[in-house]
Amino acid sequence: MKATSRLIFSILRRFAFCLACLAWLATVSAVAQEDPVHRELQKALDQLDAERARIAQEKIPLAERVSALEATLVEERRRMEETRRKADSRSLELSKLRNDIKAREQEQQYLVSLFSEYLRNLESRLHISELQLYERELRDAREILEREDAPAPERLAAAAGAISKSLKRLESLIGGVRFEGQAAAEDGRLHRGTFALIGPVALFAAAESDLCGIVEQRLGSLEPSVAPFQDPALAEMTRQLLRAGEGEMAFDGSLGNARKIEATKETLWEHIQKGGVVMWPILTMAALIFGFSVFKWLRLSFTRLPDPRNLDALFVAIREGQDDAAQAQINGMRGPAARMLKAGWSRRGHSKDIMEEAMFAEVLEARFRLNSGLPFIAVGAATAPLMGLLGTVTGIIATFKLITVFGSGDVKMLSAGISEALITTEFGLIVAIPSLLLHAFLSRKARSIVERLEQIAIAFLDAMSARSALPNEAASVSSGLENSGEIQPEGAPA
């Protein structure tokens, strides 16, 4: 467009120049007809005509050239549009390729994570005896997979190699496999020998010793441990199997769990020792409570109460005014009831209130003696669980300290620590529950004796009222005992 404009502008400028020349020649021609100037003007006009002719000759080629340039411009524009479309298409393709590459990278990362998890699960499912065969390959593959700067083909190749190894392992386990390795005996020494892995059961026989048994994993040990057979026949049968590759084998249906459960059994003394120092105050409290409970039960059981027949004879003698017979009956009695009746009989010349107070004082004294020591049992029953809880808290704190040092990866160690910490709570409850029952039993027994004393006191006062021929006074004495809430007639509400 710019070239065309310049060309048109040039043509117009020349045309203007020609017009100016014609005007000048017209002006000059008039003069030139009479002078030399006119001749010069005519000459200029001739030149103008020549220029016009030349311009006319050049105009057509120039127009053709303009047309050619315009065609070129249109072609260039078309090519530019085509190039732009191609560029846009390439941009779309490039964006799509970038998205595909990103998706492939995500898939690759997912596969790497999947392979890493598979290797971790495979390592955890390997028998402790198989670690000697696959530990190095699995560790190398896991290190390559976890290395961020490792090339993708290398990581995938490492994963494929580990998976191929695991598939070969599965094929070998179908009919059982034998391999050389080393295992630890019960004393911790390592022995070289032959393993036989048949299904979930692993057997081992040492090459240079008599060690032969089932292979298992022990807590805190990274080496396969051998639980030797107790029966020599089983040991010889296992040796024959490992030596020849065929034969009979010993099979534990519980897959070693029976041996583990047997190993967890412990004596009472071992169980107590696991509780720690808090166990000793609990056991001391238990000994004191149970010892005192036995003593208290014997004391309450041997507390003497009057025979009902003797009481009936006493009350009849009192109503009939036979003082000597009544005195003899009271002197023949023993225990708190005898002391209570003596106190009331010694004040028979006084008012009924005085007799009641004297007998009530003896009842209070008897109640104090009968209930003595029972609060100790109640306090022990309430204190024993608290001491057990104290031992549990200290044990849990010690367990968390171990977790801080060694980590929480070993679940068995963690559960064992918590289990030992709960032993004190267990013994605290063992002491508390029987102590509560003993306290309730002994309290009920002491209360029954006091209630019997109250019944005897009421009957005695009734007999004294009948004897003194003052029924109103006797009734007031009985009413006073009932209102005090300490001595109630039989059958009255509590």
Side-chain angles (χ1 to χ4, degrees), residues 153-218:
E154 183 180 357
R155 301 171 77 180
L156 294 177
I163 292 174
S164 176
K165 194 77 174 179
S166 66
L167 293 177
K168 292 181 180 178
R169 169 185 171 268
L170 292 177
E171 293 175 356
S172 64
L173 288 179
I174 294 176
V177 60
R178 290 183 301 165
F179 53 91
E180 302 295 326
Q182 61 182 9
E186 290 185 328
D187 56 0
R189 290 188 299 177
L190 295 176
H191 297 261
R192 292 205 62 83
T194 304
F195 287 95
L197 187 60
I198 307 170
V201 180
L203 304 173
F204 177 81
E208 299 178 353
S209 66
D210 297 334
L211 181 63
C212 181
I214 298 176
V215 181
E216 60 185 12
Q217 184 175 12
R218 290 183 182 175

Side-chain angles (χ1 to χ4, degrees), residues 118-402:
Y118 174 78
L119 294 181
R120 285 194 296 270
N121 294 333
L122 175 63
E123 189 171 2
S124 63
R125 292 176 182 177
L126 287 177
H127 195 273
I128 184 65
S129 60
E130 293 181 285
L131 290 177
Q132 302 177 25
L133 293 178
Y134 304 103
E135 184 178 12
R136 189 177 61 182
E137 289 82 358
L138 294 177
R139 184 180 64 250
D140 295 341
R142 191 171 57 253
E143 289 178 353
I144 294 174
L145 289 175
E146 294 176 354
R147 203 172 64 198
E148 296 294 339
D149 58 345
E154 183 180 357
R155 301 171 77 180
L156 294 177
I163 292 174
S164 176
K165 194 77 174 179
S166 66
L167 293 177
K168 292 181 180 178
R169 169 185 171 268
L170 292 177
E171 293 175 356
S172 64
L173 288 179
I174 294 176
V177 60
R178 290 183 301 165
F179 53 91
E180 302 295 326
Q182 61 182 9
E186 290 185 328
D187 56 0
R189 290 188 299 177
L190 295 176
H191 297 261
R192 292 205 62 83
T194 304
F195 287 95
L197 187 60
I198 307 170
V201 180
L203 304 173
F204 177 81
E208 299 178 353
S209 66
D210 297 334
L211 181 63
C212 181
I214 298 176
V215 181
E216 60 185 12
Q217 184 175 12
R218 290 183 182 175
L219 183 63
S221 176
L222 297 178
E223 296 291 341
S225 301
V226 179
F229 291 116
Q230 301 298 328
D231 189 354
L234 293 177
E236 182 59 29
M237 182 173 63
T238 302
R239 287 185 176 279
Q240 178 64 28
L241 173 66
L242 293 175
R243 191 181 305 113
E246 60 182 7
E248 298 180 352
M249 60 171 285
F251 179 74
D252 183 6
S254 65
L255 301 180
N257 292 328
R259 293 176 59 90
K260 294 178 181 178
I261 294 174
E262 182 67 21
T264 58
K265 290 184 178 179
E266 57 190 8
T267 62
L268 178 61
W269 177 245
E270 293 173 345
H271 193 60
I272 291 174
Q273 285 182 325
K274 287 184 178 180
V277 295
V278 184
M279 288 294 296
W280 301 113
I282 296 175
L283 294 178
T284 303
M285 180 68 71
L288 293 175
I289 290 174
F290 294 129
F292 183 77
S293 298
V294 172
F295 169 74
K296 194 66 181 179
W297 175 73
L298 293 175
R299 187 173 182 181
L300 293 176
S301 298
F302 286 100
T303 299
R304 303 184 64 177
L305 293 174
D307 187 83
R309 291 174 297 179
N310 294 335
L311 288 175
D312 293 339
L314 171 63
F315 296 149
V316 170
I318 292 175
R319 290 190 185 94
E320 294 177 353
Q322 300 175 3
D323 292 350
D324 295 339
Q327 183 67 47
Q329 289 289 339
I330 293 174
N331 291 336
M333 298 178 183
R334 295 290 182 273
R339 290 192 294 271
M340 180 188 67
L341 293 174
K342 286 179 181 177
W345 181 253
S346 64
R347 290 166 179 79
R348 61 183 179 278
H350 298 78
S351 65
K352 300 295 175 58
D353 292 338
I354 294 176
M355 285 192 298
E356 176 191 355
E357 292 177 357
M359 296 177 71
F360 184 66
E362 290 296 332
V363 170
L364 291 179
E365 179 66 20
R367 173 182 292 174
F368 175 76
R369 291 179 179 175
L370 292 172
N371 290 330
S372 63
L374 293 180
F376 170 73
I377 300 176
V379 170
T383 307
L386 297 179
M387 289 192 293
L389 182 61
L390 174 62
T392 298
V393 171
T394 55
I396 292 293
I397 292 174
T399 302
F400 279 113
K401 287 182 178 178
L402 293 177

Side-chain angles (χ1 to χ4, degrees), residues 473-485:
E473 185 178 358
S476 64
V477 171
S478 300
S479 176
L481 287 172
E482 294 175 3
N483 293 333
S484 66

